[in-house]
Each structure stands twice: as C-alpha cells, then as structure tokens.
Amino acid sequence: MSAESETESETRKVTRSVSGTDAGKQLAPEVAVVVIGFDDAAHVTDAVRSALAQGPVVREVVAVDDCSKDGSAGLLERLAATEPRLKVIRRRVNSGGCGTPRNTGLGAVTSPYVMFLDSDDILPTGAVEALLRAAEGAHAEVAGGLCVRRELPSGREIPWQERLYALHAVVPHPARRPRLVHDTLCVNKLYRTDFLRAHGIRFPEGRFPYEDVVFTARVLAAAPRIALVPDRVYVWHVRRSAGRLSISLDRVGVENWRARTEACRQAYEVLLGAGQKELARSVRAKFLDHDLRMYVRELVLRDAVYRRAWWELTRAHLAEYDADDWARNPAAPGRLAGRVVLASPEPCDLPRLRELAARPARLCPPYARAADGTPVWSQRLPQVSLEPLRARPVRALPLAVDGELRPGARGTRLRLRLHELYGRVAQAGPEAVEVEWRHRDDGDVVVRGASVALAPCAGAHHDASGTALAPRTQPEASGTALAPRAGAQPEASGAALAPCAGARPEASGAAAPDGCEATWSAETAVDLAALAALGAGTWDLRLRVRFRDGASRDVTVHALKGAGLLRRTVVPSGRQGVVLVQPYCTHSGALALRVAPGVRGVLSVVRRRLRRLLH
C-alpha cells in the first residue's frame, strides 16, 4: 500500500469514528490548558474562562503569570477561588518571552493531554472536545485544527492555513504531509503530555521571538502520528492599535527579522538533525513563500538604515541555501525575490519586489532579456533568470494589471491595462476580465462588477523607475471595450488578440517579437451606489482574467500613481446625497477603494483625519 493510500485509509476510519457512534460518547476529563500572560489584565480572565467553558473534558487550567505589574495575577487568584480546576502560577522574574512561561505550565500539568492558550486569545466552544475526540480516535500524539485570525475592532476573520485543515485527516508520519511545516502555531493543537516529555520537547527559553516555530519543528522531528480536523479550535485576536503590540506584530525594528530568520534556521537544523530532510527543505521553502514575501512587501515603508540592515541579514541567511533549495519550483515568487536579494549587495528594485511579493504575485514591467534572449530580472541583474516563467501555466503567472480609478460626477470609471509577459499572455489569448469588489472587513461581502472584453492597445511606455504609464485612452478611438452591464458576457468582437504595433503574430497566437510589448486594456464603470449602500468601508479590487482556452487567473491591480489619481473626491449621489471616494494604494501596491456615504460619513472621515493630525 502506498503512503498516500495508507493515509487516506486511516482518515476514512477516523472520520467514521468521529462522525459515527463514537461522536456521542462522553469523553473523560483528560486535557490541561496552559494559559500564559504578562500585563494583560484586560483580557486574561476572558482567555481562562474560554478554557473553563470547554466543559468537563478540561481537567485543569494552568494559568502562568509572567511577573505582571498590572494586577493580572490578582484577577486570576480571585477567579481560582471560585473555580477548582484553575491553578495559578506566579513567576517572580519576567522571562521576556512566551517560551519560559509555557514550559513552566507544561511542567505543572498532570493531565494526559495539553493545549496552549495566550492571554489575549480565546478557545471557541467545542474546540477541546473536537481535538481530543480526533486524537483518541486516531491514536494520535498530536491533533490540530483551524485557527482564525480575528482583526479587532472590525471583527474580520481570516483562516490560518485553511487548506491544511479542510477535511478530517490522519497523517501517520509528518513527512507524508510536508505542508505541516507551514503551520508553525502551537496554540491550535492538542499534544499528548507524555509524548512531549518522552522526547524532551520544550520551548526555547527567555526572550526568543517565534518560539513556536522551533517548538513545532521539535514536535515534527519526533515523527508523531497527527490527526487534523476542520473545526475552528482557536481564535487569534489581532489588535494592531494596541499600546503594546504582540511579538509577531511588532515588526518595526530589524531585530524582529533577525529573530525570525534565527527561528527558521533552528527549525531547519532540528529537522535535518532528525533525518527529516524533506521537511527541512520544506521549512526553507516556507520561509521564501511566506516570511520573505511578507517582509518584502513592507520594505518600501522602512527607512534606509532598516533596509540596509534587513538586506544584509537576508543575504546572509539565504547564502546558506543550496542548489536543491533554489531548484524546487524556481518560478515561485518567493524564490525569484530571494534570488534578487542574493544577487544584489545593496537594496534595489524595492517597488517591483513589493509587487512580486504581493498575493497574488504581480511582476511589473520592464521585462528585460539577456544578450542571448533569455528573460532576466533586469539589465543590472542578468544573473537572475526568469526563464522558468516560460514553463509556468498561465493560471499561475505573476500577471501585471495596471489600474486607474477616476471618480467623477458623471460616473466613476475604472481603466485597466494587462501587460504581456515574455509572450505567454499573447500565447494564452486574453479575452475578458471579470471585476469584483470585496469588503475589507467581511470577505464574504462582494459586489460583482462587469465582465469586460479585453482589447488590444499599443505597448505602454515606462518611466525611469520602471512604473508603467497608462495613458488615458478614448474608448472610441482606441477600441477599448466599454463595460456592459453587470453579468453581461463580452462580445466576440472584444476578444481579439493583439500584440503591440508592428508585430506579426502567427495564427497560433505566437508571442510578440523581442523589444515589443503587447498590452490589452479594458474600461468599466464602478457601481458606487452598490458600494456605498453598505455604509462606510474599504473595498479591495479583485480581477479574474479569462483566456481563450478557458483558463483563468485571479489577480489584484497595480495602483497607478500620477496627476489626478489616488485623490479624495466628493461625488454627488441620488441616494446618499454625496459619497466621499478615496482610491488608494495598499502596502502591497494594490488598488483599493474607501467610501463614506452621506454627509455624516464625510464628516466622520474629516473628524478622524483631524484627530490623527492633532495626536
């Protein structure tokens, strides 16, 4: 039996057990929840109560106060006086991190299973039971479930590693599911206490940011049997406006990046030392795809001192990678960004790197070639080859779509320009683009725009920085397709392929010749009334580019800057009177839109702006 079929067989058995007769079976009180906190009197009792509210399945809650000065320990002691399952441990000296108090709590646990909970988060109802039932049904040493990041105060929830927890599953050995290394959280999992103790698995002590990265590597290195459940088992509260940001959110100083690279380095070494070579390589792949891209998106916001220090640290870390690390999925955005950093001794091309690091990735012009015609990052860095892009399916290409949004009294227009990418776009045959606006605080709220035909246009030119300059085109003169009403399909006449002027494409849709960039454009109206009807809020623009063979690619839009763009405008509205419209560029370079309907909405924006100016 193959490894994959064995895993599937185990999963079917456990799924039947969890959803069948065993689902109603009363579980014994076998779980301890270790809650850690420091100077978090505002939230720590909520966290503890969420653990106690899991019911009799929780035998004990061990709350470790890391030498707080704000009265947290007193609140916990008073709660313990009324709750016999709660044990409070007060540390005499602050550890400076999360690892030491978790180790303290783990040492005090007497239950067969243990979970970890931070003082500013909560466990949702039924979380512990779902994990315990899965662990016992699969005879697993570890059980994991879905964590959601809840942005406060908006309440927006973002699933963490949702694909990993899509279904019930049993993984007999971590090497059979390399994706496990992407979930470095320790708090959305249940562990057999004797498993952790038998293998000496503990958190790094003292002030060690990202201690859960190393802890998770130590767990996987011990090759546990793992059960996965699709249930929500942890709510991670993200308070970006808090007076003291959490360690993971406080990325202002370069020391945070130094700590992250060190944690990833140690995780790699732990797994490699345990003979888990494939998992160790997956740690490095995860670093490129997740960690590096996240920080690259923020580099343009940092000062020169930070950028130089960050660049030096990153080059030193990436220099440890070997040829096999770079050879895997060589066209992946994180690997391309990493090769650029490694190739240049000084910070360079930060705006373009930011676009490449976006999700989904965008590779903006210019598109350079080496002397032999090989696609390369730039003339300055010809050693960074983009040749692997030629073999990447069009649905995974880092397509660049420029966008400009112009609000006006006669309507708000969105102009789009899709760029060629070394002949791949013309070869695929772009036919139409579907537009949607997704609410920033509630991703389930979507306003769908038109499906607009993409029409050929002359190649765009670029400024000295490489930013695409999309001239305002007159639809009648340029042949740009105007938007039909929402839900309409593009006319056949709007589906034409065209490389740039002077090209002589073959019937097969061959790419434009070297030095000639084909582009396609579209224009559509924005239904401002539909956006404003839902009140003040922020909307992210999403596109789906459809191609001749039925393939599609979901993309975001590179926000163009220039005269008359990205400025706040008051637009008359028959329904709300007026609507304040603010197109803007996100941290990742994407085009987004803020709206505030009515006079009250406009005044609220003015008040917030004045408040920021005064404080």
Side-chain angles (χ1 to χ4, degrees), residues 111-279:
S111 302
Y113 294 90
V114 61
M115 288 186 67
F116 301 100
L117 171 62
D118 291 347
S119 62
D120 51 351
D121 302 329
I122 60 170
L123 297 178
T125 302
V128 176
E129 181 174 341
L131 290 173
L132 180 59
R133 200 174 291 280
E136 292 194 333
H139 305 289
E141 289 86 8
V142 178
L146 183 66
C147 168
V148 294
R149 290 167 50 110
R150 180 180 292 166
E151 300 273 351
L152 297 175
S154 70
R156 178 193 182 199
E157 292 190 347
I158 305 170
W160 172 256
Q161 296 297 324
E162 186 175 21
R163 190 173 68 180
L164 185 61
Y165 298 105
L167 300 169
H168 286 278
V170 180
V171 184
H173 192 289
R176 298 179 183 174
R177 189 74 61 96
R179 186 76 188 177
L180 287 167
V181 304
H182 285 252
D183 183 11
T184 56
L185 299 180
C186 69
V187 290
N188 60 331
K189 301 176 183 71
L190 177 83
Y191 307 90
R192 280 203 65 93
T193 309
D194 58 3
F195 164 77
L196 296 180
R197 290 173 177 167
H199 292 276
I201 299 172
R202 292 168 62 84
F203 294 89
E205 294 278 349
R207 180 162 181 75
F208 191 102
Y210 306 107
E211 74 294 328
D212 45 357
V213 173
V214 179
F215 177 85
T216 298
R218 291 171 177 171
V219 169
L220 296 177
R225 184 179 176 86
I226 301 174
L228 307 175
V229 300
D231 307 64
R232 289 163 43 116
V233 301
Y234 196 87
V235 178
W236 173 6
H237 285 148
V238 179
R239 296 178 173 89
R240 299 185 189 276
S241 60
R244 188 186 77 226
L245 291 175
S246 67
I247 291 173
S248 60
L249 291 179
D250 188 6
R251 298 199 293 268
V252 174
V254 76
E255 288 305 312
N256 178 279
W257 180 240
R258 188 191 304 276
R260 188 181 282 263
T261 57
E262 177 58 27
C264 291
R265 180 183 291 108
Q266 288 196 27
Y268 172 82
E269 292 172 350
V270 165
L271 288 164
L272 192 65
Q276 305 284 357
K277 189 173 182 178
E278 289 302 308
L279 288 179

Side-chain angles (χ1 to χ4, degrees), residues 417-497:
R417 184 180 294 267
L418 168 66
H419 290 275
E420 179 58 277
L421 187 61
Y422 297 114
R424 295 300 314 286
V425 179
Q427 187 180 43
E431 292 189 339
V433 59
E434 297 171 1
V435 179
E436 73 173 30
W437 296 91
R438 189 172 300 169
H439 199 278
R440 174 72 56 81
D441 293 333
D442 187 349
D444 293 331
V445 177
V446 175
V447 173
R448 302 193 187 282
S451 178
V452 192
L454 281 163
C457 60
H461 63 285
H462 304 89
D463 63 15
S465 69
T467 301
L469 301 176
R472 288 188 65 171
T473 57
Q474 296 298 325
E476 296 80 9
S478 68
T480 301
L482 290 175
R485 285 181 294 179
Q489 296 299 316
E491 299 287 337
S493 63
L497 282 175

Side-chain angles (χ1 to χ4, degrees), residues 348-366:
C348 70
D349 300 335
L350 299 187
R352 195 170 186 230
L353 281 172
R354 178 187 66 175
E355 301 289 336
L356 182 62
R359 293 189 184 277
R362 304 182 294 268
L363 183 60
C364 291

